[in-house]
Structure formats: structure tokens, C-alpha cells
Amino acid sequence: MSTAQRVAVITGASQGIGAALVQAFRSRNYKVVATSRSIKPAAEPDIVTVQGDVADPKTAKLVFKEALDRFDRIDTLVNNAGMFMAKPFTAYSKEDYAAFMATNVTGFFHMTQRAIEIMNKQGSGHVVTVTTSLVDQPMTSVPAVLQSLTKGALNAATKSLAIHPMGRMGEVSEVVDAVMYLDSAGFVTGEILHVDGGQAAGHHTI
């Protein structure tokens, strides 16, 4: 596993953060499966694109089938797909609510469930989910209750998923990697980064 070229699956990959993540993973020699509703075919052989709605379970099935058929493994899932719409709470429509739930929550559920099934069989893997600071620190200038409702659910789910036992103590190199990340992350400040194999999420190593 450690000598093979790694593979990342990225949702919401056609623009913005998602498109930048595709290029970032490629620059680190990952093969990439990129998906979104509007994504175009890629010319590069180590990028596979899958067009589809992340909320449709068929999309997750196709994404991971393509990943395994083409690259034979999954190392990282980045749940980047999401929608944002700032409105006063009472101005949200039933359609707004349904759209937020579909993209932000249902999409996360289908993609993450399938990824973890595969990663459990492999014995390794990472799931990264992009949410929002508005969950912890709302802003009066940005009324976004549906954003906080749905992305807050992802924060809670991510913490719950993190309690699978690592079954070992941490290595010095893993703490060093975290320190080096913080040193290079110019926009990360005031954070407590737990490098503890899930202990802070609720798993306590015996």
C-alpha cells in the first residue's frame, strides 16, 4: 500500500476550492477522481472526472467504481461539495432547505459511507470534510442558519467517525508533521490541533 501511487476523491471539484484541490493533489503525485454536476472531462490520464449530483447515491457508486476500476484503491476523500446562501432565516423556502440538505448532508452521507467501506477493507484512508467557521462563530453580517444547520451536522458526524481505534501510540514524526503544517498554514490561527489518534474525539487508547 505504501509504495503505490495514492488516490484522492474530491467532490465539488469543478471550481473554486475543489478545482484547486485537484491540482494540489496532482502536484503531490496523487491520482484524482473529481466529481461535480458540471465537471468536464480531463485531458490528463491521472485525473478521472465523474459528472453527477453528489446527493444521488448513484453518483457515489459511480465515483468509487471508477476509482477502483482505474486506480485500484482510495486513500483520501475530500468532501468539498456544498452550497451557501445567506438569507434571513424566515426567508428560506422549502426548496432552499431541501437543496441544502441534499448537497451538504445527503451528499456527505453517501460519499463518506462508500469511502469508509473501501478504506476499512484496505486498512487505511483519510476523510477530510470542508465545513464553515460560521458553525462555531456566527456573524450578524452573514445570516446563514441553513449553512450552520447542515455544516454543523457534518462537524458532529466527522467527530463521531473519528473514534474508530487507531490501535497504537502516536509517532514523533506525526507530531512533527502537524507542527510543520501549522507553520505553513498562514491562515490558520488560534486553533487547537489534536494530534492524538482520535482521543479528543472520544476514543481513549488503552
Side-chain angles (χ1 to χ4, degrees):
M1 291 289 291
S2 60
T3 58
Q5 191 176 4
R6 292 182 177 181
V7 178
V9 172
I10 302 168
T11 70
S14 61
Q15 61 184 344
I17 292 171
L21 284 168
V22 171
Q23 296 308 313
F25 275 100
R26 282 298 301 128
S27 73
R28 289 158 175 78
N29 201 35
Y30 277 68
K31 296 178 180 180
V32 174
V33 180
T35 184
S36 80
R37 288 188 185 93
S38 58
I39 201 159
K40 302 292 190 293
E44 196 176 339
D46 284 341
I47 300 176
V48 173
T49 61
V50 176
Q51 192 174 75
D53 182 353
V54 74
D56 185 344
K58 294 177 184 175
T59 301
K61 183 176 180 180
L62 182 57
V63 163
F64 289 103
K65 182 180 186 303
E66 285 289 314
L68 293 178
D69 287 351
R70 292 285 295 274
F71 304 137
D72 200 37
R73 61 187 283 166
I74 303 293
D75 295 279
T76 301
L77 165 65
V78 182
N79 287 304
N80 171 68
M83 64 176 296
F84 179 81
M85 186 189 307
K87 284 187 182 182
F89 181 61
T90 54
Y92 286 117
S93 66
K94 290 184 291 186
E95 291 75 20
D96 293 337
Y97 175 79
F100 266 91
M101 292 299 293
T103 300
N104 292 3
V105 179
T106 306
F108 165 88
F109 175 80
H110 292 307
M111 295 296 296
T112 305
Q113 188 177 59
R114 183 66 184 123
I116 289 177
E117 286 174 353
I118 296 167
M119 291 171 182
N120 280 341
K121 291 176 184 176
Q122 291 177 166
S124 65
H126 299 106
V127 177
V128 179
T129 301
V130 179
T131 65
T132 175
S133 295
L134 291 170
V135 171
D136 298 314
Q137 188 59 61
M139 299 171 62
T140 55
S141 59
V142 185
V145 173
L146 285 188
Q147 183 80 356
S148 294
L149 174 69
T150 53
K151 292 293 190 175
L154 303 194
N155 284 6
T158 298
K159 191 169 183 177
S160 294
L161 289 170
I163 64 172
H164 297 302
M166 298 289 284
R168 63 177 177 83
M169 297 295 290
E171 301 288 340
V172 169
S173 63
E174 291 167 323
V175 177
V176 171
D177 287 345
V179 172
M180 298 311 292
Y181 156 72
L182 289 172
D183 184 61
S184 66
F187 204 57
V188 176
T189 181
E191 285 297 320
I192 297 172
L193 180 62
H194 299 283
V195 188
D196 61 7
Q199 180 176 332
H203 169 66
H204 297 277
T205 303
I206 297 175

